[in-house]
């Protein structure tokens, strides 16, 4: 997706083994990994930039603690040797990671963001990307999140949490799209 000779980076956020563990809780978008894989394949075939973001916890005992299997990338979405990997220990991939500079050095101003969790790292990263002036798109069916209680104690399904996160982002920080739209736009 390099329009007007402007590279577009695919950012894959926190697609680690720990995110696919049933202990993570009720989630939405069971086909998110398939959609991420489809996008990743297109980006690789075109030779466009791919950034893999991995959460490394600072909490001992976390499935994302260094050296734990939960911190490893899911095998189907693992980075290739030449793809950029960013490790973070807070939700936002830009915080103390050098990622903003990495994009600027390469002239990358457009981002397609996928991964997990919509209501945490995806939203935090997309908000910061928008605030930093990047033209970003979050792919709704290539992201997912988990059910949780809201501040009032009301149970919210993963679909509800996902929809609210996308609503928080849409228009102000990022455009929201789906995999088929992204694939059509890059092939057209």
């Amino acid at each position: 997706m390099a329009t007007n000779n402007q590279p577009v980076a695919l950012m894959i956020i926190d697609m680690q083994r720990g995110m696919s563990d049933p202990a993570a809780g009720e989630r939405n978008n069971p086909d998110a990994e398939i959609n991420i894989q489809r996008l990743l394949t297109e980006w690789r075939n075109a030779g466009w930039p791919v950034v893999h973001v991995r959460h490394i916890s600072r909490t001992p005992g976390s499935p994302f603690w260094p050296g734990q299997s939960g911190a490893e990338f899911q095998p189907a979405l693992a980075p290739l040797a030449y793809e950029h990997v960013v490790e973070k220990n807070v939700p936002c991939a830009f915080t103390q990671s050098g990622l903003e500079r990495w994009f600027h050095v390469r002239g990358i101003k457009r981002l397609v963001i996928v991964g997990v969790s919509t209501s945490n790292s995806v939203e935090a990263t997309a908000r910061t990307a928008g605030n930093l002036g990047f033209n970003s798109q979050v792919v709704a069916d290539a992201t997912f999140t988990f059910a949780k209680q809201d501040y009032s104690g009301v149970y919210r399904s993963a679909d509800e949490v996902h929809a609210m996160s996308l609503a928080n982002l849409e228009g102000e920080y990022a455009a929201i799209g789906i995999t088929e739209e992204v694939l059509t736009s890059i092939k057209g």
Side-chain angles (χ1 to χ4, degrees), residues 12-16 52-56 71-73 85-89:
I12 303 173
I13 299 178
D14 297 349
M15 291 307 298
Q16 296 160 252
H52 299 264
V53 179
R54 173 173 40 200
H55 186 78
I56 299 296
E72 296 173 12
F73 288 107
V85 175
V86 172
E87 291 191 349
K88 63 180 183 59
N89 51 33

Side-chain angles (χ1 to χ4, degrees), residues 93-148:
F94 287 95
T95 302
Q96 299 179 341
S97 69
L99 184 58
E100 179 185 9
R101 179 169 172 67
W102 190 89
F103 285 137
H104 286 308
V105 165
R106 287 154 185 81
I108 297 169
K109 297 177 180 165
R110 296 185 58 208
L111 310 175
V112 172
I113 302 171
V114 301
V116 64
S117 108
T118 318
S119 61
N120 195 338
S121 295
V122 170
E123 187 171 345
T125 299
R127 283 174 178 265
T128 299
N131 287 336
L132 292 172
F134 290 97
N135 178 350
S136 302
Q137 182 174 26
V138 175
V139 186
D141 61 351
T143 55
F144 66 94
T145 196
F146 303 94
K148 66 189 300 181

Side-chain angles (χ1 to χ4, degrees), residues 129-184:
N131 287 336
L132 292 172
F134 290 97
N135 178 350
S136 302
Q137 182 174 26
V138 175
V139 186
D141 61 351
T143 55
F144 66 94
T145 196
F146 303 94
K148 66 189 300 181
Q149 282 189 341
D150 69 16
Y151 187 71
S152 300
V154 176
Y155 172 83
R156 301 295 178 178
S157 71
D159 282 333
E160 290 174 312
V161 175
H162 182 74
M164 184 54 72
S165 292
L166 295 175
N168 290 339
L169 295 171
E170 186 173 29
E172 191 165 349
Y173 301 101
I176 308 299
I178 60 171
T179 300
E180 287 305 322
E181 292 169 348
V182 174
L183 291 173
T184 298

